[in-house]
Amino acid sequence: MRLALAEAGRAGEAGDVPVGAVVLDAGGQVAGAGHNERELAADPTAHAEVVALRRAAARLGTWRLEGCTLVVTLEPCTMCAGAAVLARVDRVVYGAVDPKAGAVGSLWDVVRDRRLNHRPEVIAEVLAAECGALLTEFFTRRRVG
């Protein structure tokens, strides 16, 4: 999660919502990392998770990320939860809960939907306070500035 937090910091420095993600391979090595790049890329799909999943797939040479773990500082939205399912990651680990848009148990539960053909393990609220504080600070600065 500390690596994902470092990625989140990069997003915040670039003026984007500070969310970071890493994909670890089956051996625990970083296969891909990313942070929100929506503002930088003018791309609504450039969420941290999607960026990290794309980089991991490119590095590993396959879209099937079986054996991999997606670690992200904020509970994934529906798009990112769906991408994790479709990428076949073994587990999703996230920090802060997102009651407004979370799709890994908060608002929706895409990753545990029995109608889908793959359901990754979920480990929630890892370093949640630290992950949440980064977001709170970012939005507080935005409102004041």
Side-chain angles (χ1 to χ4, degrees), residues 7-136:
E7 286 291 331
R10 290 182 189 95
E13 290 166 7
D16 216 321
V17 177
V19 177
V22 295
V23 176
L24 305 174
D25 66 18
Q29 299 300 309
V30 175
H35 53 270
N36 275 357
E37 295 181 3
R38 293 179 305 168
E39 299 298 333
L40 176 69
D43 179 356
T45 69
H47 288 205
E49 301 94 322
V50 172
V51 172
L53 289 167
R54 286 177 179 158
R55 289 180 179 155
R59 181 164 184 222
L60 298 172
T62 181
W63 63 267
R64 288 181 185 88
L65 300 179
E66 295 157 336
C68 291
T69 299
L70 172 64
V71 181
V72 60
T73 58
L74 179 65
E75 179 182 359
C77 69
T78 54
M79 176 181 68
C80 295
V85 169
L86 294 174
R88 311 292 197 273
V89 298
D90 280 9
R91 76 196 48 75
V92 174
V93 177
Y94 70 87
V97 172
D98 187 354
K100 293 181 180 179
V104 185
S106 291
L107 192 56
W108 295 285
D109 202 350
V110 172
V111 297
R112 294 184 192 104
D113 191 319
R114 296 206 171 274
R115 295 170 294 184
L116 299 175
N117 65 341
H118 180 74
R119 288 179 295 284
E121 172 188 7
V122 175
I123 300 170
E125 299 186 63
V126 174
L127 299 179
E130 200 169 327
C131 293
L134 196 59
L135 291 159
T136 300

